[in-house]
Amino acid sequence: MMTKTFQNPERLAAGFGTVNSLIAPAEIERDKNDRLRLKSRNERAYMGDMQLRWLLFVLALAFTTPASSQGRDVQCHPTWATPDLPITENTFRYWSRARNEPVEIGPRLDAEMYSWNRGALFQLQYGYFNPWFLSQTGEQTDFPNVDEFISNLATSSSSTGYDPSTGLFNPSLLDGEDVRSPTISFWMPSLRYVEQNMRTAYNFRPCEPGREPPEEDQYVVQFRIEWPGTENIEQSPQIQRFENAQLRPLSTPNFFQLFEDEYYVNLRCALDRGCNGWIWERERNYILYMRFPESLRHENPDGFWLAPTDAAITLLEGWKMNEDIRVRID
């Protein structure tokens, strides 16, 4: 039997001359082709699996995504908010599916309370503040009266800008950034407060316990007060935002801007996510940060923002109290 010898012992010592390296070239080529074919089959199987998953994902979205446009049938979210339940009268922390009832009851939605914003005092029902303040529990109905509320304001000037000596807004008293208004939510066109926590409502047409699903013309509007219809509007940091928008207008489809005598409008809209942005009603000095369904723009491309804005200002005008809100000194 003939023994094969190696001409380069250094290569053997380095590990290059092992038995595996003596496999015939034809066998090496067959093994390489087998591995390539296996790799190709695995890649095709992987791509087919990904395509199937993507198709299932798209189908799931089509059947489960909440309807946010007015033209679609309402799919109730959350699903437990059905007409057979009692109408919600209080805030609550969460809904127990096991008990089919709310847990950790908070204040009554119809409780009257006061709110102060940059020199304006409002009296409104607690339910309009939505998303709900979940830190408050207990069926509280005895909110502070007006004197107690003003006295409390006087002790928190650094966070509210309230000046006890004048009853006006004084931004120099603020310890930090400008005061941020809580979000107010209401139904169009009825203007009533929403009996569902908008933190978990998912869309602009949430179902509410004890009520039928919204009709096609019913939707929720949300807003924050950036300036409350008082004098000295030049103190608002939003004025600079409008001036910048006028100097550098945006022409992309997602943005809507309007600068006229009565209104300045600076909105951004996204399909199924709503329109949001700042609107300045210049005659009565209101600046609001608004949020409402994007589908309104399809129905009225130029004036879709006007009805929600006028409704919000109508509520504010009805809530505003015209009285001296300086601290009472006995």
Side-chain angles (χ1 to χ4, degrees), residues 111-122:
E112 294 288 335
M113 62 173 297
Y114 297 96
S115 179
W116 188 83
N117 185 290
R118 300 174 179 85
L121 181 67
F122 300 95

Side-chain angles (χ1 to χ4, degrees), residues 66-77 187 198 201-208 213-220 293 295:
S68 60
S69 68
Q70 269 65 348
R72 303 178 185 173
D73 292 334
V74 174
Q75 301 176 24
C76 281
H77 290 270
W187 279 102
M198 290 300 294
Y202 305 110
N203 58 36
F204 293 99
R205 304 176 72 201
C207 291
E208 301 165 303
E215 300 290 340
E216 290 187 1
D217 64 339
Q218 297 174 326
Y219 57 91
V220 170
S295 57

Side-chain angles (χ1 to χ4, degrees), residues 266-316:
N266 189 17
L267 297 173
R268 181 175 183 175
C269 298
L271 181 64
D272 286 338
R273 298 186 61 184
C275 295
N276 60 84
W278 290 266
I279 298 179
W280 177 7
E281 201 272 31
R282 304 182 70 209
E283 182 179 353
R284 288 173 289 184
N285 282 347
Y286 281 101
I287 299 179
L288 306 178
Y289 182 86
M290 302 286 300
R291 186 170 179 263
F292 45 79
E294 187 267 348
S295 57
L296 299 179
R297 190 178 185 184
H298 300 171
E299 301 166 7
N300 185 358
D302 295 324
F304 65 98
W305 52 273
L306 185 57
T309 303
D310 284 352
I313 293 175
T314 295
L315 286 172
L316 291 173

Side-chain angles (χ1 to χ4, degrees), residues 241-250 256-266 278 280 282:
R241 182 185 299 274
F242 284 110
E243 291 176 353
N244 293 341
Q246 280 184 285
L247 293 174
R248 294 184 293 274
L250 299 170
F256 179 88
Q257 295 177 317
L258 178 71
F259 303 100
E260 296 183 344
D261 291 340
E262 296 182 5
Y263 291 95
Y264 280 6
V265 182
N266 189 17
W278 290 266
W280 177 7
R282 304 182 70 209

